Amino acid sequence: MINDYIVRTLKNIIRNKKNILLILIFSLLLILLFLDLTFIKNAYSYIDYSTNTNIAFRTFTASKDNTTIAEVTKKIKELDNVAEVYDSFYRTSIQVESDLKFNELNGNLQLIYGTENITPPSIKGKSIKDLKSGEMICPIDFYPNSLSDGFNIDDSKIVAPEESLNNEFNVYYSIFKYEEGSLDIIEESATKRFKIVGLYDSKLVMNENNTCYITAQDIKEMGVNQSLNNSDTDDSNYVSIDIVVDKVKNLNKVRNKVASLGYYVSKEANAYFDTKEINSIFLLAYSFFLIIIGVIFFMYVSYLHKKAKSESNLWGILRACGYTMNDILKKEIVEIVIILFVSFIISSIIFSTIFSLVIKDYFKYTTYSGFYVKNSILFLFLSFIILLFILIFIEKFIVRKTIDKPISNLLMED
């Protein structure tokens, strides 16, 4: 009997323009629903990925008077859940130009300092523990250019590992110093010779593809304002340190421990998401979700009421011919299930096609940070199944309420 219902339903869909219109409307609504659900899912995934991958999300700053870097470092490293401690001066990222000439790229680099505990392992060449002055470790997908974020990366110009490794070049930077006998700050140009001795996967820490690691000695030598940095020596009276925690979930616990030792502790991690802005975005996304679901339910209920009114006479005839209420109910459920499944197939194909085009043109940049915006057909299918069961329940209630009348009443209804 179910097979007969399916065959008749398919014929009705083809013959009845109203069913075709219904399929198109539901397909459009499902596309909007899939768009919203996919955004919410990827947004949560991106926040989770960023906070657990980029160490800045689990790093905070602490400072104290009348102490030394050596004393502070030793004391804080003894605390549980502390992965690394280093002078905040080393956090500075140095933007430099170089004479690297690869694939018409301009040779712009970001230089940072790392330790064994916070630098990803080298895939080729030297590791961070073996790094010497004048050496650096760069991304394996090297892109030495001022426009190194994923929005602007040209895949064809990424430097091959065999070309970048062991390459020697000059780096040009500026040093700012006080003019002798004056409070004026003067800028001096400087040059330093470097060699790429190792390659790492920048995706593991969400670094841009022109970010290279150098030694603490080179960071100090190339410091943006080394004459004003008062933590160059271990006997300074004031120190500021960056504390890297092993996991994000332990951040507040470690922060409280450090504060209890008499340190001034930053209120936020070195990198964080604006909670107010994030909440506003998700509020809009969830509001959009509720609006779409509301429209689906409203249109569906309206459709069922019109259908019940127009087909009550037919249902009365079927009842008079020996069909039970369950038989009629099964027939109507099979019909709407087929209509909704056809809508799902159409909407998922259209959505997946649009998604692929959008990802290719606008979200390629996230892949260079290691995060992949995904379209999960399984997730969309499960969401659709949940919606389908809710709609079937609504239909059972409305149809059963209509056909649960005397046959004579059904036959007399228009």
Side-chain angles (χ1 to χ4, degrees):
M1 186 174 288
I2 296 294
N3 290 336
D4 293 336
Y5 293 157
I6 293 174
V7 172
R8 283 201 297 267
T9 298
L10 291 173
K11 289 180 179 179
N12 288 337
I13 290 174
I14 296 172
R15 293 171 183 171
N16 193 337
K17 292 183 178 179
K18 289 184 179 179
N19 285 335
I20 295 176
L21 179 61
L22 187 66
I23 289 173
L24 293 176
I25 292 173
F26 274 121
S27 296
L28 175 61
L29 290 172
L30 287 175
I31 289 172
L32 295 176
L33 181 64
F34 293 162
L35 174 65
D36 192 57
L37 289 175
T38 301
F39 169 80
I40 292 172
K41 185 176 183 296
N42 279 285
Y44 274 120
S45 297
Y46 181 74
I47 291 172
D48 182 67
Y49 179 82
S50 298
T51 53
N52 287 287
T53 303
N54 189 338
I55 65 167
F57 283 94
R58 51 188 173 91
T59 303
F60 67 95
T61 303
S63 57
K64 193 174 184 181
D65 291 318
N66 302 318
T67 187
T68 64
I69 285 290
E71 180 184 347
V72 169
T73 301
K74 181 181 178 182
K75 198 168 188 177
I76 299 300
K77 275 190 173 182
E78 293 175 351
L79 297 177
D80 292 337
N81 306 117
V82 172
E84 188 58 278
V85 180
Y86 57 91
D87 190 334
S88 295
F89 176 71
Y90 297 149
R91 183 204 320 152
T92 304
S93 172
I94 304 176
Q95 299 273 353
V96 298
E97 296 179 355
S98 73
D99 58 6
L100 278 169
K101 299 300 178 185
F102 286 124
N103 304 330
E104 301 179 354
L105 300 175
N106 61 24
N108 186 278
L109 301 173
Q110 295 186 67
L111 305 182
I112 59 174
Y113 165 71
T115 69
E116 289 183 62
N117 295 325
I118 61 176
T119 304
S122 293
I123 299 173
K124 290 187 176 183
K126 284 188 178 182
S127 61
I128 194 71
K129 67 178 181 180
D130 301 317
L131 203 63
K132 299 177 182 178
S133 177
E135 296 179 336
M136 64 172 63
I137 299 174
C138 296
I140 195 162
D141 294 323
F142 194 35
Y143 199 82
N145 197 68
S146 53
L147 301 177
S148 62
D149 59 82
F151 287 102
N152 301 289
I153 287 181
D154 182 347
D155 291 344
S156 65
K157 294 184 178 181
I158 291 177
V159 183
E162 57 270 18
E163 292 184 69
S164 57
L165 191 63
N166 298 319
N167 197 290
E168 292 189 56
F169 55 94
N170 292 315
V171 164
Y172 310 107
Y173 61 99
S174 297
I175 297 177
F176 298 88
K177 293 183 177 180
Y178 279 122
E179 187 176 7
E180 188 174 351
S182 170
L183 294 178
D184 294 332
I185 298 178
I186 58 173
E187 178 181 354
E188 293 183 358
S189 297
T191 302
K192 185 173 178 64
R193 190 77 175 168
F194 274 98
K195 181 180 181 180
I196 299 175
V197 296
L199 301 174
Y200 75 99
D201 186 355
S202 58
K203 295 182 178 68
L204 297 177
V205 284
M206 293 188 76
N207 283 344
E208 291 186 9
N209 291 56
N210 70 337
T211 301
C212 299
Y213 290 95
I214 60 177
T215 65
Q217 177 185 341
D218 289 339
I219 284 285
K220 283 188 176 182
E221 179 184 333
M222 303 169 68
V224 176
N225 199 347
Q226 57 182 194
S227 64
L228 298 179
N229 178 53
N230 61 5
S231 61
D232 284 342
T233 60
D234 273 349
D235 61 351
S236 56
N237 294 321
Y238 172 86
V239 296
S240 176
I241 56 171
D242 275 19
I243 302 171
V244 184
V245 182
D246 56 356
K247 296 179 181 178
V248 173
K249 66 179 183 180
N250 296 323
L251 188 62
N252 288 331
K253 181 171 70 174
V254 175
R255 186 190 281 117
N256 292 335
K257 283 184 181 179
V258 174
S260 68
L261 295 175
Y263 291 80
Y264 171 78
V265 175
S266 60
K267 295 181 180 179
E268 301 284 354
N270 289 356
Y272 59 92
F273 288 104
D274 187 324
T275 305
K276 186 177 180 180
E277 184 177 338
I278 292 296
N279 289 340
S280 297
I281 292 172
F282 279 117
L283 178 62
L284 287 174
Y286 284 120
S287 298
F288 190 49
F289 171 80
L290 293 175
I291 290 171
I292 297 169
I293 292 295
V295 172
I296 290 174
F297 285 164
F298 175 78
M299 291 198 62
Y300 186 67
V301 171
S302 298
Y303 163 77
L304 290 178
H305 280 303
K306 289 180 180 179
K307 185 177 178 64
K309 186 176 180 180
S310 64
E311 296 196 4
S312 58
N313 190 267
L314 173 61
W315 293 343
I317 294 173
L318 292 175
R319 288 278 305 279
C321 292
Y323 280 75
T324 65
M325 287 190 292
N326 283 336
D327 291 336
I328 297 172
L329 192 58
K330 287 177 184 178
K331 168 185 171 298
E332 296 303 322
I333 288 176
V334 169
E335 180 174 326
I336 198 62
V337 166
I338 291 176
I339 289 174
L340 290 172
F341 258 107
V342 171
S343 299
F344 170 75
I345 293 171
I346 293 173
S347 60
S348 59
I349 291 174
I350 293 175
F351 176 76
S352 297
T353 302
I354 295 173
F355 182 88
S356 299
L357 294 174
V358 169
I359 290 300
K360 182 178 180 181
D361 293 336
Y362 297 104
F363 284 94
K364 183 180 70 172
Y365 76 95
T366 61
T367 63
Y368 291 104
S369 66
F371 178 77
Y372 298 85
V373 179
K374 297 177 181 178
N375 171 29
S376 173
I377 294 296
L378 178 61
F379 171 71
L380 298 182
F381 180 71
L382 291 176
S383 302
F384 167 74
I385 291 297
I386 294 172
L387 177 63
L388 179 63
F389 276 109
I390 295 173
L391 295 180
I392 289 175
F393 176 79
I394 294 173
E395 181 177 34
K396 287 178 67 176
F397 175 78
I398 293 176
V399 174
R400 186 177 290 277
K401 184 178 178 182
T402 303
I403 61 177
D404 192 18
K405 296 178 182 179
I407 295 176
S408 59
N409 289 356
L410 291 173
L411 292 172
M412 287 188 297
E413 289 186 15
D414 295 331

